[in-house]
Amino acid sequence: MLLVGLSAGIAAAAPAEAQYRLTAPSGTVVEFEADRLLRFRDRSDSLMTDLVEDPLVLYYRSFGRDLDESEARDAWPWNAAEVVTDSLAALVMPGNLREAGRAYESYVVLRMHAVRQDPDVPCETLLGREIDALDGFIDGWIVARLLFGGPAYEPLDELVFAREADVLGGLILDRSNRQLGGCLAVARQRREDEIAAYRSWRTENYLPPRGR
């Protein structure tokens, strides 16, 4: 995976084998080689198989209304999914992002895996498990966008760029990810520097020069 600027010089230096790309509002480009996308696809396929073949899992999958980019709160996976137990989950995805079903389903499976683990763990561990679940979502989102031609949705593209810039943890805390439950306030207090790093990256590297 390669994160580059959009200047002519840098674009010219991009490796020829990097065939797939996403572009941030700032013009920054993240590029993927085909074999990496296939690994992402295989991972999301495997996670979706968990839902289909596990007889103990009760899973409700549906699509809600179309969401524009100003309604991103309802599109974020931690708000779209309701993981009740380690084998019971409901998911309401945006109606205009049907191709991204694999991304949301990957997130749900990984959230159920997290619930199956010992719940009596420090907040730091719970945050790590949520980052792992979002990592699966991001892989599925990239596959939906770049391999299967799914529609663009900038607020979810941001997750890709945040992971690449190593500020995904700060994004999770800044957006008040509800899956963290009572640990959210604790984590926000302990990791103020990560939230600040995410906000600085978003302003300086992700958004257009004058912001939105």
Side-chain angles (χ1 to χ4, degrees):
M1 196 182 298
L2 177 69
L3 190 67
V4 299
L6 195 60
S7 68
I10 295 178
E17 64 271 18
Q19 300 174 4
Y20 302 88
R21 60 172 53 191
L22 293 176
T23 304
S26 64
T28 298
V29 172
V30 62
E31 295 184 332
F32 301 89
E33 297 178 6
D35 62 343
R36 187 167 181 82
L37 291 185
L38 293 176
R39 290 196 297 271
F40 290 168
R41 183 203 61 188
D42 291 346
R43 182 190 186 194
S44 63
D45 284 349
S46 175
L47 290 170
M48 288 192 294
T49 298
D50 278 5
L51 286 178
V52 175
E53 296 186 355
D54 189 341
L56 299 179
V57 169
L58 186 60
Y59 169 62
Y60 299 97
R61 177 180 185 268
S62 63
F63 292 94
R65 62 188 179 84
D66 292 359
L67 299 177
D68 63 35
E69 293 185 357
S70 69
E71 300 171 296
R73 180 175 298 275
D74 291 333
W76 294 334
W78 54 86
N79 287 334
E82 187 67 39
V83 177
V84 182
T85 70
D86 65 356
S87 56
L88 176 61
L91 178 60
V92 180
M93 295 170 281
N96 52 322
L97 300 179
R98 291 176 180 270
E99 293 85 352
R102 66 173 52 242
Y104 286 97
E105 290 172 349
S106 293
Y107 177 81
V108 165
V109 173
L110 291 169
R111 283 293 311 152
M112 288 195 290
H113 287 178
V115 172
R116 289 175 185 176
Q117 300 176 63
D118 182 5
D120 188 20
V121 294
C123 287
E124 297 295 312
T125 302
L126 291 178
L127 177 60
R129 291 176 182 175
E130 178 62 10
I131 291 174
D132 289 344
L134 278 174
D135 189 64
F137 176 89
I138 292 167
D139 284 354
W141 175 252
I142 293 168
V143 170
R145 288 274 281 110
L146 299 184
L147 274 186
F148 297 119
Y153 192 77
E154 181 272 318
L156 297 182
D157 282 350
E158 184 182 354
L159 299 178
V160 179
F161 288 88
R163 182 175 74 173
E164 190 66 8
D166 198 26
V167 293
L168 188 59
L171 182 154
I172 290 171
L173 296 175
D174 190 57
R175 301 289 169 81
S176 298
N177 185 316
R178 69 186 185 91
Q179 300 290 348
L180 298 177
C183 282
L184 176 61
V186 175
R188 285 175 65 91
Q189 183 176 19
R190 291 178 178 174
R191 294 175 173 248
E192 291 180 346
D193 57 334
E194 291 187 29
I195 297 174
Y198 159 69
R199 291 175 176 174
S200 176
W201 164 82
R202 189 171 193 268
T203 299
E204 297 175 8
N205 301 104
Y206 184 75
L207 295 176
R210 293 185 179 181
R212 288 203 174 280

